Amino acid sequence: MEKIAIVGGGIIGLTLANLLPPEKFEITLYDEPTGQATKASAGIISPWLSKRRNKQWYQLAKAGAALLPKLAQDFQLDEAIYRQVGSLILQPEENLAALTELAETRKIDAPEIGDIHLLSNQETAEMLPLLKPQKSLFITGGARLDGLGYLNHLKKIATDIQFHNEKVQIKNPETLLTSHGPEQYDRIVLAVGPHLKELSAPLNYQVDIRPQKGQLIVFETNFTSEDWPVAMLAGESDLIPFNNGKILLGATHENDANWDLEPTNAAFHQLTEGAASFLIQPEKLFQFPHSQRVGTRAYTSDFAPFFGELPDGIIVASGLGSSGLTTGPMIANLLANFLNNHEKKWDSYQKSLINYLK
Ligand SMILES: Cc1cc2nc3c(=O)[nH]c(=O)nc-3n(C[C@H](O)[C@H](O)[C@H](O)COP(=O)(O)OP(=O)(O)OC[C@H]3O[C@@H](n4cnc5c(N)ncnc54)[C@H](O)[C@@H]3O)c2cc1C
């Protein structure tokens, strides 16, 4: 039995814990969830039309979006947690033809995009009745993932894993400092999002990672929203409908807020104003009771994630930024293959680790 400690119970930590075979690994997961990104996230899985030029990131995000339906089956996620409802992309009309062409090109090596339809004004409004009649692009492979629901489900099915709700520190590559004193492990995995810098400092690592505050609004409506697609509006205000009338509007990307977790009125106004011009009657949505969610993302200088094994044997994964629900499960899958089968098949998915961690 290999004794593994996973520090961090977000999407990477919990997916990894569930992918490792319990007959080979004795797993302990430590998580202190204040500010955790996964539980605060919006839930959009639709990376194919991103304008980002980083080829490795695209390969990783594409592979992550393709892996999720398989994980949904393996982990028996119900449709309230993960569902391919499709994504509607709303852009100025003159951009839609080029976007459709891009979707068709990307589909050649990403068939999971599904069907691609240019929708008329009427068809868009029928698909998501909160929207004004306007043209849009619809891709059927887009999905939504309820981050908190996913984590709760994974904790429930991980009966062989020991969970500790506490903040730990690292003493050396085999030892964690816990509330029960020092604990020894064969392997330590650090999946702590933006906290990697402070956590790895005692081992003299310098990490290119920063915290980014993200806020979104949760509206509790009486709409029958389960079948509605995700709507990716131009700007930061995307609409993510979940079951039971829950509609998310988000999210902000605040690089100067450090670790602040307070919801702000400025974010509420920014997000509602950003969405208003796409909605048929904004008050129809904004009148409902609402709350705000805040989380801290981790981002690197080139906004790309990094993961892998350090020379001292520690495993790290961080820097997932605003697409970590999409890339996180794939990173966990690659790390599980490494730990289980010693396969390091990640060169095409990221730049060398040395770019981010010295
Ligand atoms: C508002 C918002 C909206 C988002 N929307 C989307 C989206 O629509 N689509 C998408 O793909 N991505 C989205 N993301 C990004 C995505 O949520 C993150 O990239 C991803 O969840 C990061 O996962 P992680 O496991 O790396 O880190 P986290 O989920 O942050 O988990 C790390 C955990 O480690 C814990 N921890 C840290 N230090 C210690 C310690 N010393 N001891 C114990 N525990 C520790 C943390 O508290 C936390 O619980 C969004 C993020 C936010 C904030």
Side-chain angles (χ1 to χ4, degrees):
M1 274 296 218
E2 195 171 344
K3 223 179 136 193
I4 299 225
I6 299 176
V7 187
I11 195 157
I12 297 184
L14 262 158
T15 309
L16 175 62
N18 276 276
L19 288 175
L20 291 173
E23 56 282 5
K24 269 176 78 177
F25 297 94
E26 183 189 318
I27 302 166
T28 310
L29 191 145
Y30 295 92
D31 185 52
E32 196 291 297
T34 306
Q36 184 194 84
T38 307
K39 69 179 160 86
S41 61
I44 306 173
I45 311 292
S46 189
W48 307 283
L49 303 183
S50 165
K51 296 210 175 81
R52 292 178 63 162
R53 286 174 187 201
N54 183 322
K55 289 203 176 84
Q56 288 110 326
W57 173 83
Y58 178 68
Q59 290 306 321
L60 183 67
K62 173 168 85 77
L67 177 68
L68 270 166
K70 183 180 176 303
L71 289 185
Q73 261 189 352
D74 293 352
F75 295 154
Q76 299 193 335
L77 301 180
D78 67 38
E79 289 194 342
I81 298 177
Y82 172 79
R83 184 163 161 206
Q84 282 180 294
V85 283
S87 33
L88 272 178
I89 294 113
L90 291 114
Q91 290 278 333
E93 208 176 314
E94 62 274 18
N95 298 348
L96 287 177
L99 264 184
T100 311
E101 212 172 294
L102 177 66
E104 297 287 0
T105 312
R106 294 244 155 121
K107 190 176 167 176
I108 296 168
D109 67 348
E112 54 279 3
I113 282 188
D115 299 330
I116 300 162
H117 302 283
L118 205 47
L119 300 189
S120 67
N121 294 358
Q122 188 65 23
E123 287 167 330
T124 305
E126 275 168 15
M127 191 146 284
L128 209 175
L130 294 175
L131 296 173
K132 265 185 193 158
Q134 59 206 296
K135 293 204 168 53
S136 68
L137 178 64
F138 181 59
I139 51 179
T140 58
R144 55 157 156 79
L145 177 70
D146 171 1
L148 181 58
Y150 178 84
L151 298 183
N152 287 339
H153 179 79
L154 261 59
K155 271 186 212 156
K156 215 162 61 192
I157 60 172
T159 45
D160 297 303
I161 295 162
Q162 288 185 48
F163 290 100
H164 294 281
N165 188 335
E166 64 172 287
K167 189 167 187 153
V168 295
Q169 290 179 325
I170 190 157
K171 185 171 178 225
N172 61 46
E174 289 91 38
T175 316
L176 292 178
L177 298 174
T178 77
S179 58
H180 307 288
E183 295 277 353
Q184 289 277 125
Y185 294 93
D186 300 319
R187 274 280 191 188
I188 295 178
V189 179
L190 304 180
V192 293
H195 297 275
L196 184 61
K197 195 177 207 153
E198 86 222 20
L199 188 60
S200 62
L203 305 181
N204 290 322
Y205 281 108
Q206 288 166 26
V207 191
D208 169 23
I209 203 85
R210 281 168 280 282
Q212 181 190 65
K213 181 177 180 183
Q215 303 190 55
L216 54 73
I217 312 170
V218 184
F219 291 99
E220 307 286 349
T221 77
N222 58 11
F223 300 130
T224 310
S225 53
E226 348 337 274
D227 296 335
W228 288 355
V230 168
M232 299 169 75
L233 314 180
E236 289 196 319
S237 306
D238 298 320
L239 275 180
I240 308 97
F242 281 91
N243 290 6
N244 304 322
K246 186 188 277 191
I247 309 227
L248 271 47
L249 176 61
T252 64
H253 296 75
E254 301 168 54
N255 291 347
D256 302 321
N258 285 313
W259 302 96
D260 181 44
L261 290 173
E262 279 302 307
T264 62
N265 286 334
F268 182 86
H269 290 301
Q270 179 197 323
L271 293 169
T272 49
E273 279 160 26
S277 62
F278 294 90
L279 303 176
I280 185 147
Q281 277 176 308
E283 324 73 59
K284 261 182 98 177
L285 174 63
F286 301 161
Q287 65 173 338
F288 283 103
H290 59 263
S291 53
Q292 271 165 259
R293 268 196 217 158
V294 187
T296 311
R297 305 180 188 94
Y299 76 104
T300 58
S301 297
D302 65 357
F303 300 96
F306 62 86
F307 53 96
E309 186 191 28
L310 303 181
D312 57 18
I314 293 178
I315 307 271
V316 291
S318 183
L320 277 62
S322 49
S323 52
L325 291 189
T326 318
T327 57
M330 183 62 194
I331 293 174
N333 189 46
L334 291 163
L335 294 177
N337 272 335
F338 170 63
L339 289 167
N340 198 19
N341 309 318
H342 307 286
E343 283 178 3
K344 269 193 191 173
K345 287 194 181 160
W346 48 58
D347 288 353
S348 54
Y349 296 121
Q350 63 172 337
K351 291 186 196 153
S352 161
L353 259 185
I354 193 93
N355 287 288
Y356 307 99
L357 208 143
K358 294 189 177 59

